[in-house]
Amino acid sequence: MKVRIPNANGGMSQQQMLKKVQQMQEDMATLQEDLDNREYTATAGGGMVSVTVTGKHEVKSITIKPEALAECDGDPEMLEDFLTIAVNEAINTAAQTSQKEMDALTSGLNIPGLPGMF
């Protein structure tokens, strides 16, 4: 008696699966390049401080409004806090956007033996 084992990859041939993976790799590379070139801006202190980072999490610019110095009353720690908040928010936005868009691209790919990887 022969036992028939169902095709674990949803009926796709290995060649079809390989083609799908190769296309996804190309799409991921294109998306990663796009994400790396994007800019993300965050503000803190009611807009007193503005920070722009790239998708590579590199700080591109920092803007401090002149009135921020008066608002901080000569307290450099307050200005440092504003900068820290804005930088972290911009970086987190870049990271979350990247993760969300990569997840959307790879959803639906079911490769046997690699659960949770995609």
Side-chain angles (χ1 to χ4, degrees):
M1 173 179 207
K2 290 186 179 180
V3 177
R4 187 166 192 213
I5 300 173
N7 193 342
N9 60 14
M12 262 194 247
S13 72
Q14 285 182 337
Q15 185 177 9
Q16 289 170 321
M17 179 66 80
L18 181 59
K19 223 176 193 173
K20 187 172 183 176
V21 169
Q22 288 171 335
Q23 181 61 50
M24 182 169 291
Q25 286 176 327
E26 291 173 17
D27 293 346
M28 287 174 68
T30 300
L31 177 58
Q32 188 62 57
E33 184 177 345
D34 176 48
L35 290 167
D36 287 349
N37 290 323
R38 290 186 194 177
E39 294 182 2
Y40 303 87
T41 301
T43 61
M48 297 287 183
V49 173
S50 176
V51 175
T52 300
V53 300
T54 67
K56 291 182 179 183
H57 305 172
E58 297 170 345
V59 176
K60 184 166 184 179
S61 69
I62 296 174
T63 304
I64 301 171
K65 290 186 176 179
E67 52 269 24
L69 300 175
E71 181 75 24
C72 292
D73 267 342
D75 182 6
E77 288 181 5
M78 185 181 287
L79 186 55
E80 290 167 357
D81 289 344
F82 290 160
L83 286 167
T84 301
I85 290 166
V87 168
N88 286 334
E89 185 178 328
I91 289 172
N92 286 335
T93 300
Q96 289 173 358
T97 301
S98 179
Q99 185 66 48
K100 181 180 173 183
E101 292 194 27
M102 281 293 183
D103 286 349
L105 181 66
T106 60
S107 69
L109 182 64
N110 182 18
I111 299 177
L114 299 177
M117 184 163 184
F118 297 101

